[in-house]
Amino acid sequence: MISLTDTQKIGMGLTGFGVFFLFFGMILFFDKALLAIGNVLFVAGLAFVIGLERTFRFFFQKHKVKATGFFLGGVFIVLIGWPLIGMVFEIYGFFLLFRGFFPVVIGFIRRVPVLGYLLNLPGISSLVDKAGESNNMV
């Protein structure tokens, strides 16, 4: 089992609440307040989990400048009150930032009994294979 420090446990909680508020804000027709709270909690939780320096290095690498601009720009746009446009920017930036993790996540999900079966269905399998390629969203 992975041992976490107290700071990382707090970060996992903040990140979880951030994802919850983002999801709940989208379900409630892009509620500005919930999306803003979710964004702040998600970014703060990420900083707690991996540390401030590593978070800064992750977001501000030379090859991730465009992705970071879209993601943080989307967060800013949501915070100033345009949730739909901001979430579109954020989602695009999120996919650009984390596209390197998709093959690992898809490989893990394919080993989960029920989800793996669903991902291997004929129509879904080709779509998931394309999403699992690390260089397809350039």
Side-chain angles (χ1 to χ4, degrees):
M1 178 139 190
I2 299 173
S3 64
L4 298 174
T5 65
D6 289 339
T7 314
Q8 289 174 325
K9 290 177 187 175
I10 292 169
M12 292 297 289
L14 289 173
T15 305
F17 277 118
V19 170
F20 170 76
F21 277 109
L22 285 170
F23 178 72
F24 201 55
M26 285 190 277
I27 294 294
L28 293 175
F29 303 111
F30 293 95
D31 183 64
K32 289 187 274 194
L34 291 174
L35 291 174
I37 291 169
N39 283 324
V40 171
L41 289 175
F42 179 77
V43 173
L46 188 63
F48 270 86
V49 170
I50 64 175
L52 286 174
E53 182 182 344
R54 289 180 69 194
T55 302
F56 187 80
R57 276 192 280 143
F58 175 76
F59 279 107
F60 295 105
Q61 295 173 11
K62 280 189 177 184
H63 65 281
K64 292 185 179 180
V65 171
K66 176 182 167 186
T68 300
F70 274 103
F71 183 75
L72 295 179
V75 169
F76 180 73
I77 291 171
V78 167
L79 290 175
I80 62 171
W82 293 339
L84 188 60
I85 296 168
M87 286 306 294
V88 169
F89 278 31
E90 268 186 69
I91 290 169
Y92 180 66
F94 181 84
F95 282 120
L96 289 179
L97 275 172
F98 296 102
R99 68 179 170 207
F101 298 111
F102 290 150
V104 175
V105 171
I106 289 173
F108 174 77
I109 293 175
R110 282 198 167 159
R111 285 184 262 134
V112 175
V114 175
L115 295 176
Y117 174 76
L118 291 174
L119 291 184
N120 288 324
L121 290 174
I124 299 172
S125 179
S126 61
L127 187 72
V128 170
D129 288 340
K130 285 186 180 187
E133 295 174 2
S134 62
N135 60 356
N136 67 336
M137 289 187 234
V138 175

